[in-house]
Amino acid sequence: MDIFLTNSRSRTKERFTPLDPANVRVYVCGPTVYDRAHLGNARPAIVFDVLSRLLRHVYGAEHVTYVRNFTDVDDKINARAAETGRDIAEITEETIGWYLDDMAAVGVAEPDHMPRATRYIAQMVVMIADLIAKGHAYEAEGHVLFAVESYADYGALSGRSLEDMIAGARVEVAPYKRNPMDFVLWKPSAAGLPGWDSPWGRGRPGWHIECSAMAQDLLGASFDIHGGGNDLMFPHHENEIAQSCCAHPEGSFAKVWLHNEMLQVEGRKMSKSLGNFFTVRDLLDQGIPGEVIRFVMLSTHYRKPMDWTAEKAEVAEKKLRRWRRLAKGVNPGAALHDVLAPLADDLNTSLVLDRLDSLARAIEMNQTDPTKARFAPSIEDFVATANLLGLLLPGTHDWSMQGFDLSGLAARLAEIRATAMETKDFSEVDRLKAALVAAGVEVRMSKAGVELVPGAGFDASALEGLE
């Protein structure tokens, strides 16, 4: 299966040809760990999890190396420690645990490597010293800065003009900079802040150098794919390219660059001031299953802005309840090539979901009325194809009954039954009972009352409007 990806650097869709098919290498920028992952943080995690699953499907699980980092040294973390009085290491350790739990809840598998910036300080110091030696960086007032003018291709990724880049760099203008676009590789640390000894004094790394050092150490001077949100394209990814290519001119750094678009909530930018800011944990605690969150995320192409709405979550939940009813107790077969074709075409997950839902309806029709049989794959192959999107995974918790309370329907049936005992008209009892049975609910009626028990084929969506 050929894979086509839209390379942000060339701005074209290209056939993906790995540098080494036996060792396909991917690096994705991970979170800065000072607080719960918000909904927007989940989008790149899910997008590149799907990419990883596709690459493993095509090239073999043992031939793909996927790296996603944790930024655990940052001014935001320092500010959170000062605000709470808590130890920095305690905050980062707790937040990493939260992130992994929340991403697991939305079906994101852990990458092969999850390096932490604080464990790669030595590699960063070596890279910075090398950049100084090669004339690409300079020391000034305890800082080390990358000299942007020393790299002729600076700006090629983002396509920004010199004026645009200078405007974007003005917030970092300092008297010790030779050029306002020069960016920090190393900065001094005051007492009470994290710091490490270096040739330039006690200090800590700038943000950009960490990814270059970790990618070089784990994937080499050249690797296949670098991913992240499009908000990172400038300056973060632009700066990564500059420092990496200057430090290791024998390599090309990342061959393909992939960027996902940003997320909105109900048509508006997510913001605490607008009251539409959600963490992943907020939604999980509201009873929205992680698989539903994943489905909604995948229903929009990764290069388009994604709008989270309550309506989309409701639609996703209904579809997944039906799919889970079909998949219950089924072992995955072989993924369907025709259904997966859009996934290999620049990760068109929304089209794959549409095709899967059409197949689910065909399977359901064949089960309910064989006389109207139409083409449908085996349930096993349907499940295997959904698995490649990180859905209906074997061994995952079946949430399809989660939060669904049958007590209201039980009370209503008991009330109708009591009336029927007096009028001798059991038509309404029979109608409601038939609807419950059709939805996979076992109806137990006795002198003691009415008990409703979800069965193996329980489909909560079929009960809508019965109460």
Side-chain angles (χ1 to χ4, degrees), residues 35-50:
D35 205 348
R36 285 278 188 187
H38 60 70
L39 198 54
N41 297 141
R43 193 177 196 196
I46 291 172
V47 166
F48 294 108
D49 178 68
V50 170

Side-chain angles (χ1 to χ4, degrees), residues 186-307:
W186 189 265
K187 55 187 174 183
S189 284
L193 292 177
W196 292 262
D197 292 332
S198 79
W200 319 287
R202 182 179 180 277
R204 61 191 189 277
W207 174 31
H208 314 296
I209 192 67
E210 67 176 81
C211 289
S212 288
M214 290 187 282
Q216 161 67 26
D217 190 77
L218 293 168
L219 300 177
S222 301
F223 56 94
D224 295 291
I225 299 171
H226 194 313
N230 69 352
D231 59 323
L232 299 179
M233 189 180 295
F234 182 84
H236 185 52
H237 290 164
E238 198 77 76
N239 292 350
E240 280 187 60
I241 292 172
Q243 63 201 10
S244 294
C245 289
C246 289
H248 299 283
E250 75 281 5
S252 59
F253 199 46
K255 180 181 179 182
V256 177
W257 286 83
L258 298 183
H259 292 92
N260 64 273
E261 258 287 358
M262 296 296 98
L263 175 139
Q264 297 178 324
V265 174
E266 302 289 351
R268 305 176 75 182
K269 182 179 179 180
M270 189 167 64
S271 167
K272 290 181 179 178
S273 63
L274 294 175
N276 66 347
F277 181 92
F278 297 104
T279 66
V280 175
R281 181 52 50 181
D282 288 336
L283 295 182
L284 294 171
D285 288 346
Q286 289 171 20
I288 299 177
E291 195 172 31
V292 170
I293 297 173
R294 185 183 185 92
F295 191 107
V296 174
M297 292 281 186
L298 296 180
S299 64
T300 300
H301 194 281
Y302 78 95
R303 289 191 297 106
K304 294 181 178 179
M306 194 258 143
D307 188 18

Side-chain angles (χ1 to χ4, degrees), residues 416 420 423-433:
I416 294 172
T423 63
K424 307 304 180 185
D425 179 4
F426 288 87
S427 58
E428 185 63 14
V429 174
D430 293 340
R431 185 196 67 80
L432 183 53
K433 181 179 177 181

Side-chain angles (χ1 to χ4, degrees), residues 37 53 116 257 295 299 378 396 460:
R53 292 176 189 275
R116 304 184 186 192
W257 286 83
F295 191 107
S299 64
S378 70
T396 56

Side-chain angles (χ1 to χ4, degrees), residues 329-382:
V330 173
N331 292 320
L336 298 161
H337 186 278
D338 289 347
V339 180
L340 282 178
L343 191 62
D345 185 12
D346 203 23
L347 303 183
N348 193 341
T349 52
S350 58
L351 184 52
V352 179
L353 290 176
D354 288 344
R355 291 187 178 185
L356 281 169
D357 199 48
S358 295
L359 293 178
R361 292 185 183 281
I363 294 171
E364 289 171 329
M365 181 176 290
N366 289 355
Q367 288 180 338
T368 56
D369 190 353
T371 64
K372 296 182 180 179
R374 52 188 286 191
F375 169 75
S378 70
I379 299 177
E380 291 79 8
D381 292 352
F382 167 81

